[in-house]
PDB file of all heavy atoms in Angstrom:
ATOM      1  N   VAL A 241     -21.881  -6.896  -1.417  1.00  0.00           N
ATOM      2  CA  VAL A 241     -22.054  -8.319  -1.148  1.00  0.00           C
ATOM      3  C   VAL A 241     -20.882  -9.090  -1.742  1.00  0.00           C
ATOM      4  O   VAL A 241     -20.163  -8.602  -2.618  1.00  0.00           O
ATOM      5  CB  VAL A 241     -23.377  -8.867  -1.733  1.00  0.00           C
ATOM      6  CG1 VAL A 241     -24.580  -8.219  -1.057  1.00  0.00           C
ATOM      7  CG2 VAL A 241     -23.439  -8.686  -3.245  1.00  0.00           C
ATOM      8  N   GLU A 242     -20.722 -10.298  -1.249  1.00  0.00           N
ATOM      9  CA  GLU A 242     -19.807 -11.277  -1.814  1.00  0.00           C
ATOM     10  C   GLU A 242     -20.516 -12.624  -1.732  1.00  0.00           C
ATOM     11  O   GLU A 242     -21.535 -12.765  -1.058  1.00  0.00           O
ATOM     12  CB  GLU A 242     -18.492 -11.318  -1.023  1.00  0.00           C
ATOM     13  CG  GLU A 242     -18.670 -11.726   0.442  1.00  0.00           C
ATOM     14  CD  GLU A 242     -17.366 -11.765   1.226  1.00  0.00           C
ATOM     15  OE1 GLU A 242     -16.450 -10.970   0.906  1.00  0.00           O
ATOM     16  OE2 GLU A 242     -17.270 -12.593   2.149  1.00  0.00           O
ATOM     17  N   PHE A 243     -19.992 -13.603  -2.430  1.00  0.00           N
ATOM     18  CA  PHE A 243     -20.536 -14.963  -2.331  1.00  0.00           C
ATOM     19  C   PHE A 243     -19.499 -15.929  -2.872  1.00  0.00           C
ATOM     20  O   PHE A 243     -18.479 -15.505  -3.455  1.00  0.00           O
ATOM     21  CB  PHE A 243     -21.877 -15.104  -3.070  1.00  0.00           C
ATOM     22  CG  PHE A 243     -21.947 -14.429  -4.411  1.00  0.00           C
ATOM     23  CD1 PHE A 243     -21.257 -14.920  -5.500  1.00  0.00           C
ATOM     24  CD2 PHE A 243     -22.723 -13.289  -4.585  1.00  0.00           C
ATOM     25  CE1 PHE A 243     -21.328 -14.298  -6.740  1.00  0.00           C
ATOM     26  CE2 PHE A 243     -22.807 -12.649  -5.811  1.00  0.00           C
ATOM     27  CZ  PHE A 243     -22.106 -13.170  -6.894  1.00  0.00           C
ATOM     28  N   LEU A 244     -19.748 -17.221  -2.700  1.00  0.00           N
ATOM     29  CA  LEU A 244     -18.778 -18.205  -3.154  1.00  0.00           C
ATOM     30  C   LEU A 244     -18.749 -18.305  -4.673  1.00  0.00           C
ATOM     31  O   LEU A 244     -17.713 -18.105  -5.304  1.00  0.00           O
ATOM     32  CB  LEU A 244     -19.074 -19.572  -2.528  1.00  0.00           C
ATOM     33  CG  LEU A 244     -18.902 -19.684  -1.015  1.00  0.00           C
ATOM     34  CD1 LEU A 244     -19.194 -21.109  -0.557  1.00  0.00           C
ATOM     35  CD2 LEU A 244     -17.506 -19.264  -0.587  1.00  0.00           C
ATOM     36  N   PHE A 245     -19.905 -18.647  -5.273  1.00  0.00           N
ATOM     37  CA  PHE A 245     -19.911 -18.967  -6.702  1.00  0.00           C
ATOM     38  C   PHE A 245     -21.131 -18.353  -7.389  1.00  0.00           C
ATOM     39  O   PHE A 245     -22.246 -18.476  -6.885  1.00  0.00           O
ATOM     40  CB  PHE A 245     -19.948 -20.485  -6.906  1.00  0.00           C
ATOM     41  CG  PHE A 245     -18.953 -21.230  -6.062  1.00  0.00           C
ATOM     42  CD1 PHE A 245     -19.377 -22.045  -5.019  1.00  0.00           C
ATOM     43  CD2 PHE A 245     -17.599 -21.100  -6.293  1.00  0.00           C
ATOM     44  CE1 PHE A 245     -18.467 -22.730  -4.230  1.00  0.00           C
ATOM     45  CE2 PHE A 245     -16.667 -21.773  -5.515  1.00  0.00           C
ATOM     46  CZ  PHE A 245     -17.106 -22.600  -4.470  1.00  0.00           C
ATOM     47  N   PRO A 246     -20.948 -17.759  -8.559  1.00  0.00           N
ATOM     48  CA  PRO A 246     -22.077 -17.201  -9.306  1.00  0.00           C
ATOM     49  C   PRO A 246     -22.578 -18.103 -10.430  1.00  0.00           C
ATOM     50  O   PRO A 246     -23.546 -17.765 -11.111  1.00  0.00           O
ATOM     51  CB  PRO A 246     -21.457 -15.939  -9.920  1.00  0.00           C
ATOM     52  CG  PRO A 246     -20.049 -16.342 -10.207  1.00  0.00           C
ATOM     53  CD  PRO A 246     -19.661 -17.302  -9.106  1.00  0.00           C
ATOM     54  N   TYR A 247     -21.949 -19.251 -10.634  1.00  0.00           N
ATOM     55  CA  TYR A 247     -22.045 -19.929 -11.924  1.00  0.00           C
ATOM     56  C   TYR A 247     -23.365 -20.642 -12.185  1.00  0.00           C
ATOM     57  O   TYR A 247     -23.624 -21.082 -13.305  1.00  0.00           O
ATOM     58  CB  TYR A 247     -20.864 -20.894 -12.071  1.00  0.00           C
ATOM     59  CG  TYR A 247     -19.552 -20.224 -11.766  1.00  0.00           C
ATOM     60  CD1 TYR A 247     -18.835 -20.547 -10.598  1.00  0.00           C
ATOM     61  CD2 TYR A 247     -19.052 -19.231 -12.598  1.00  0.00           C
ATOM     62  CE1 TYR A 247     -17.650 -19.904 -10.293  1.00  0.00           C
ATOM     63  CE2 TYR A 247     -17.857 -18.582 -12.298  1.00  0.00           C
ATOM     64  CZ  TYR A 247     -17.165 -18.921 -11.148  1.00  0.00           C
ATOM     65  OH  TYR A 247     -15.996 -18.275 -10.845  1.00  0.00           O
ATOM     66  N   ASP A 248     -24.217 -20.752 -11.168  1.00  0.00           N
ATOM     67  CA  ASP A 248     -25.535 -21.355 -11.382  1.00  0.00           C
ATOM     68  C   ASP A 248     -26.511 -20.388 -12.048  1.00  0.00           C
ATOM     69  O   ASP A 248     -27.626 -20.792 -12.411  1.00  0.00           O
ATOM     70  CB  ASP A 248     -26.144 -21.824 -10.056  1.00  0.00           C
ATOM     71  CG  ASP A 248     -25.466 -23.071  -9.510  1.00  0.00           C
ATOM     72  OD1 ASP A 248     -24.805 -23.775 -10.295  1.00  0.00           O
ATOM     73  OD2 ASP A 248     -25.590 -23.327  -8.292  1.00  0.00           O
ATOM     74  N   TYR A 249     -26.102 -19.133 -12.206  1.00  0.00           N
ATOM     75  CA  TYR A 249     -26.990 -18.100 -12.756  1.00  0.00           C
ATOM     76  C   TYR A 249     -26.264 -17.332 -13.858  1.00  0.00           C
ATOM     77  O   TYR A 249     -25.062 -17.081 -13.748  1.00  0.00           O
ATOM     78  CB  TYR A 249     -27.424 -17.114 -11.659  1.00  0.00           C
ATOM     79  CG  TYR A 249     -28.080 -17.787 -10.489  1.00  0.00           C
ATOM     80  CD1 TYR A 249     -27.323 -18.212  -9.396  1.00  0.00           C
ATOM     81  CD2 TYR A 249     -29.449 -18.021 -10.469  1.00  0.00           C
ATOM     82  CE1 TYR A 249     -27.911 -18.851  -8.319  1.00  0.00           C
ATOM     83  CE2 TYR A 249     -30.050 -18.654  -9.392  1.00  0.00           C
ATOM     84  CZ  TYR A 249     -29.283 -19.069  -8.325  1.00  0.00           C
ATOM     85  OH  TYR A 249     -29.877 -19.707  -7.258  1.00  0.00           O
ATOM     86  N   PRO A 250     -26.967 -16.951 -14.909  1.00  0.00           N
ATOM     87  CA  PRO A 250     -26.335 -16.091 -15.919  1.00  0.00           C
ATOM     88  C   PRO A 250     -25.886 -14.784 -15.277  1.00  0.00           C
ATOM     89  O   PRO A 250     -26.528 -14.256 -14.365  1.00  0.00           O
ATOM     90  CB  PRO A 250     -27.459 -15.856 -16.936  1.00  0.00           C
ATOM     91  CG  PRO A 250     -28.437 -16.969 -16.716  1.00  0.00           C
ATOM     92  CD  PRO A 250     -28.362 -17.288 -15.252  1.00  0.00           C
ATOM     93  N   ALA A 251     -24.788 -14.256 -15.776  1.00  0.00           N
ATOM     94  CA  ALA A 251     -24.242 -13.022 -15.206  1.00  0.00           C
ATOM     95  C   ALA A 251     -25.257 -11.883 -15.253  1.00  0.00           C
ATOM     96  O   ALA A 251     -25.346 -11.081 -14.316  1.00  0.00           O
ATOM     97  CB  ALA A 251     -22.964 -12.628 -15.937  1.00  0.00           C
ATOM     98  N   GLU A 252     -26.060 -11.840 -16.316  1.00  0.00           N
ATOM     99  CA  GLU A 252     -27.013 -10.730 -16.438  1.00  0.00           C
ATOM    100  C   GLU A 252     -28.105 -10.791 -15.367  1.00  0.00           C
ATOM    101  O   GLU A 252     -28.643  -9.754 -14.959  1.00  0.00           O
ATOM    102  CB  GLU A 252     -27.636 -10.681 -17.827  1.00  0.00           C
ATOM    103  CG  GLU A 252     -28.332 -11.950 -18.276  1.00  0.00           C
ATOM    104  CD  GLU A 252     -27.439 -12.893 -19.055  1.00  0.00           C
ATOM    105  OE1 GLU A 252     -26.206 -12.849 -18.864  1.00  0.00           O
ATOM    106  OE2 GLU A 252     -27.984 -13.693 -19.858  1.00  0.00           O
ATOM    107  N   VAL A 253     -28.426 -11.995 -14.889  1.00  0.00           N
ATOM    108  CA  VAL A 253     -29.425 -12.132 -13.826  1.00  0.00           C
ATOM    109  C   VAL A 253     -28.870 -11.582 -12.512  1.00  0.00           C
ATOM    110  O   VAL A 253     -29.549 -10.829 -11.791  1.00  0.00           O
ATOM    111  CB  VAL A 253     -29.843 -13.604 -13.674  1.00  0.00           C
ATOM    112  CG1 VAL A 253     -30.726 -13.789 -12.437  1.00  0.00           C
ATOM    113  CG2 VAL A 253     -30.578 -14.077 -14.922  1.00  0.00           C
ATOM    114  N   ILE A 254     -27.629 -11.938 -12.199  1.00  0.00           N
ATOM    115  CA  ILE A 254     -27.012 -11.414 -10.981  1.00  0.00           C
ATOM    116  C   ILE A 254     -26.806  -9.915 -11.096  1.00  0.00           C
ATOM    117  O   ILE A 254     -27.049  -9.163 -10.138  1.00  0.00           O
ATOM    118  CB  ILE A 254     -25.681 -12.135 -10.720  1.00  0.00           C
ATOM    119  CG1 ILE A 254     -25.934 -13.625 -10.460  1.00  0.00           C
ATOM    120  CG2 ILE A 254     -24.950 -11.498  -9.543  1.00  0.00           C
ATOM    121  CD1 ILE A 254     -24.679 -14.444 -10.283  1.00  0.00           C
ATOM    122  N   LYS A 255     -26.388  -9.460 -12.266  1.00  0.00           N
ATOM    123  CA  LYS A 255     -26.185  -8.023 -12.464  1.00  0.00           C
ATOM    124  C   LYS A 255     -27.470  -7.249 -12.213  1.00  0.00           C
ATOM    125  O   LYS A 255     -27.454  -6.167 -11.602  1.00  0.00           O
ATOM    126  CB  LYS A 255     -25.669  -7.762 -13.879  1.00  0.00           C
ATOM    127  CG  LYS A 255     -25.325  -6.309 -14.157  1.00  0.00           C
ATOM    128  CD  LYS A 255     -24.724  -6.146 -15.546  1.00  0.00           C
ATOM    129  CE  LYS A 255     -24.330  -4.711 -15.821  1.00  0.00           C
ATOM    130  NZ  LYS A 255     -23.713  -4.546 -17.162  1.00  0.00           N
ATOM    131  N   ALA A 256     -28.586  -7.792 -12.647  1.00  0.00           N
ATOM    132  CA  ALA A 256     -29.871  -7.115 -12.439  1.00  0.00           C
ATOM    133  C   ALA A 256     -30.195  -7.000 -10.960  1.00  0.00           C
ATOM    134  O   ALA A 256     -30.707  -5.965 -10.496  1.00  0.00           O
ATOM    135  CB  ALA A 256     -30.980  -7.863 -13.172  1.00  0.00           C
ATOM    136  N   ARG A 257     -29.884  -8.045 -10.178  1.00  0.00           N
ATOM    137  CA  ARG A 257     -30.144  -7.988  -8.732  1.00  0.00           C
ATOM    138  C   ARG A 257     -29.224  -6.965  -8.053  1.00  0.00           C
ATOM    139  O   ARG A 257     -29.645  -6.234  -7.154  1.00  0.00           O
ATOM    140  CB  ARG A 257     -29.949  -9.367  -8.085  1.00  0.00           C
ATOM    141  CG  ARG A 257     -30.819 -10.478  -8.632  1.00  0.00           C
ATOM    142  CD  ARG A 257     -32.268 -10.091  -8.786  1.00  0.00           C
ATOM    143  NE  ARG A 257     -32.824  -9.529  -7.570  1.00  0.00           N
ATOM    144  CZ  ARG A 257     -33.869  -8.696  -7.525  1.00  0.00           C
ATOM    145  NH1 ARG A 257     -34.468  -8.310  -8.659  1.00  0.00           N
ATOM    146  NH2 ARG A 257     -34.320  -8.250  -6.377  1.00  0.00           N
ATOM    147  N   LEU A 258     -27.988  -6.900  -8.495  1.00  0.00           N
ATOM    148  CA  LEU A 258     -27.065  -5.916  -7.941  1.00  0.00           C
ATOM    149  C   LEU A 258     -27.541  -4.498  -8.249  1.00  0.00           C
ATOM    150  O   LEU A 258     -27.585  -3.633  -7.368  1.00  0.00           O
ATOM    151  CB  LEU A 258     -25.661  -6.135  -8.514  1.00  0.00           C
ATOM    152  CG  LEU A 258     -24.932  -7.407  -8.077  1.00  0.00           C
ATOM    153  CD1 LEU A 258     -23.713  -7.643  -8.964  1.00  0.00           C
ATOM    154  CD2 LEU A 258     -24.503  -7.318  -6.610  1.00  0.00           C
ATOM    155  N   GLN A 259     -27.890  -4.261  -9.498  1.00  0.00           N
ATOM    156  CA  GLN A 259     -28.298  -2.922  -9.897  1.00  0.00           C
ATOM    157  C   GLN A 259     -29.603  -2.507  -9.237  1.00  0.00           C
ATOM    158  O   GLN A 259     -29.751  -1.355  -8.812  1.00  0.00           O
ATOM    159  CB  GLN A 259     -28.415  -2.861 -11.423  1.00  0.00           C
ATOM    160  CG  GLN A 259     -27.075  -2.949 -12.139  1.00  0.00           C
ATOM    161  CD  GLN A 259     -27.213  -2.898 -13.643  1.00  0.00           C
ATOM    162  OE1 GLN A 259     -28.259  -3.239 -14.203  1.00  0.00           O
ATOM    163  NE2 GLN A 259     -26.147  -2.499 -14.319  1.00  0.00           N
ATOM    164  N   HIS A 260     -30.544  -3.429  -9.135  1.00  0.00           N
ATOM    165  CA  HIS A 260     -31.832  -3.114  -8.524  1.00  0.00           C
ATOM    166  C   HIS A 260     -31.652  -2.647  -7.083  1.00  0.00           C
ATOM    167  O   HIS A 260     -32.389  -1.768  -6.606  1.00  0.00           O
ATOM    168  CB  HIS A 260     -32.737  -4.343  -8.568  1.00  0.00           C
ATOM    169  CG  HIS A 260     -34.043  -4.155  -7.865  1.00  0.00           C
ATOM    170  ND1 HIS A 260     -35.073  -3.406  -8.375  1.00  0.00           N
ATOM    171  CD2 HIS A 260     -34.485  -4.622  -6.653  1.00  0.00           C
ATOM    172  CE1 HIS A 260     -36.093  -3.405  -7.531  1.00  0.00           C
ATOM    173  NE2 HIS A 260     -35.761  -4.145  -6.482  1.00  0.00           N
ATOM    174  N   ASN A 261     -30.668  -3.239  -6.400  1.00  0.00           N
ATOM    175  CA  ASN A 261     -30.457  -2.928  -4.984  1.00  0.00           C
ATOM    176  C   ASN A 261     -29.284  -1.981  -4.746  1.00  0.00           C
ATOM    177  O   ASN A 261     -28.930  -1.729  -3.597  1.00  0.00           O
ATOM    178  CB  ASN A 261     -30.229  -4.231  -4.212  1.00  0.00           C
ATOM    179  CG  ASN A 261     -31.480  -5.060  -4.099  1.00  0.00           C
ATOM    180  OD1 ASN A 261     -32.397  -4.715  -3.371  1.00  0.00           O
ATOM    181  ND2 ASN A 261     -31.546  -6.162  -4.841  1.00  0.00           N
ATOM    182  N   GLN A 262     -28.696  -1.469  -5.820  1.00  0.00           N
ATOM    183  CA  GLN A 262     -27.551  -0.556  -5.714  1.00  0.00           C
ATOM    184  C   GLN A 262     -26.445  -1.164  -4.845  1.00  0.00           C
ATOM    185  O   GLN A 262     -25.890  -0.518  -3.954  1.00  0.00           O
ATOM    186  CB  GLN A 262     -27.990   0.805  -5.173  1.00  0.00           C
ATOM    187  CG  GLN A 262     -28.972   1.530  -6.082  1.00  0.00           C
ATOM    188  CD  GLN A 262     -29.348   2.895  -5.550  1.00  0.00           C
ATOM    189  OE1 GLN A 262     -29.610   3.089  -4.369  1.00  0.00           O
ATOM    190  NE2 GLN A 262     -29.390   3.869  -6.455  1.00  0.00           N
ATOM    191  N   LEU A 263     -26.119  -2.417  -5.143  1.00  0.00           N
ATOM    192  CA  LEU A 263     -25.093  -3.149  -4.419  1.00  0.00           C
ATOM    193  C   LEU A 263     -23.843  -3.316  -5.270  1.00  0.00           C
ATOM    194  O   LEU A 263     -23.925  -3.515  -6.489  1.00  0.00           O
ATOM    195  CB  LEU A 263     -25.602  -4.531  -4.013  1.00  0.00           C
ATOM    196  CG  LEU A 263     -26.684  -4.602  -2.932  1.00  0.00           C
ATOM    197  CD1 LEU A 263     -27.285  -5.997  -2.878  1.00  0.00           C
ATOM    198  CD2 LEU A 263     -26.116  -4.205  -1.573  1.00  0.00           C
ATOM    199  N   GLN A 264     -22.696  -3.285  -4.616  1.00  0.00           N
ATOM    200  CA  GLN A 264     -21.421  -3.592  -5.257  1.00  0.00           C
ATOM    201  C   GLN A 264     -21.049  -5.036  -4.949  1.00  0.00           C
ATOM    202  O   GLN A 264     -21.082  -5.456  -3.784  1.00  0.00           O
ATOM    203  CB  GLN A 264     -20.322  -2.664  -4.728  1.00  0.00           C
ATOM    204  CG  GLN A 264     -18.901  -3.074  -5.100  1.00  0.00           C
ATOM    205  CD  GLN A 264     -18.594  -2.894  -6.574  1.00  0.00           C
ATOM    206  OE1 GLN A 264     -18.840  -1.838  -7.137  1.00  0.00           O
ATOM    207  NE2 GLN A 264     -18.055  -3.924  -7.198  1.00  0.00           N
ATOM    208  N   LEU A 265     -20.704  -5.806  -5.982  1.00  0.00           N
ATOM    209  CA  LEU A 265     -20.152  -7.135  -5.755  1.00  0.00           C
ATOM    210  C   LEU A 265     -18.651  -6.990  -5.560  1.00  0.00           C
ATOM    211  O   LEU A 265     -17.966  -6.405  -6.413  1.00  0.00           O
ATOM    212  CB  LEU A 265     -20.451  -8.050  -6.949  1.00  0.00           C
ATOM    213  CG  LEU A 265     -19.816  -9.444  -6.898  1.00  0.00           C
ATOM    214  CD1 LEU A 265     -20.301 -10.240  -5.700  1.00  0.00           C
ATOM    215  CD2 LEU A 265     -20.092 -10.198  -8.197  1.00  0.00           C
ATOM    216  N   VAL A 266     -18.118  -7.522  -4.451  1.00  0.00           N
ATOM    217  CA  VAL A 266     -16.708  -7.289  -4.143  1.00  0.00           C
ATOM    218  C   VAL A 266     -15.843  -8.539  -4.194  1.00  0.00           C
ATOM    219  O   VAL A 266     -14.613  -8.429  -4.180  1.00  0.00           O
ATOM    220  CB  VAL A 266     -16.554  -6.625  -2.760  1.00  0.00           C
ATOM    221  CG1 VAL A 266     -17.260  -5.270  -2.749  1.00  0.00           C
ATOM    222  CG2 VAL A 266     -17.080  -7.492  -1.628  1.00  0.00           C
ATOM    223  N   LEU A 267     -16.446  -9.728  -4.283  1.00  0.00           N
ATOM    224  CA  LEU A 267     -15.631 -10.946  -4.307  1.00  0.00           C
ATOM    225  C   LEU A 267     -16.475 -12.160  -4.659  1.00  0.00           C
ATOM    226  O   LEU A 267     -17.616 -12.281  -4.214  1.00  0.00           O
ATOM    227  CB  LEU A 267     -14.988 -11.184  -2.928  1.00  0.00           C
ATOM    228  CG  LEU A 267     -14.097 -12.421  -2.805  1.00  0.00           C
ATOM    229  CD1 LEU A 267     -12.797 -12.231  -3.568  1.00  0.00           C
ATOM    230  CD2 LEU A 267     -13.801 -12.742  -1.340  1.00  0.00           C
TER     231      LEU A 267
END
């Protein structure tokens, strides 16, 4: 996945969603 901005969420919250779904953040 990619997205415009992550800054509305703590990095650990986004990291948990990535890991739960086995997704790579690319941009």
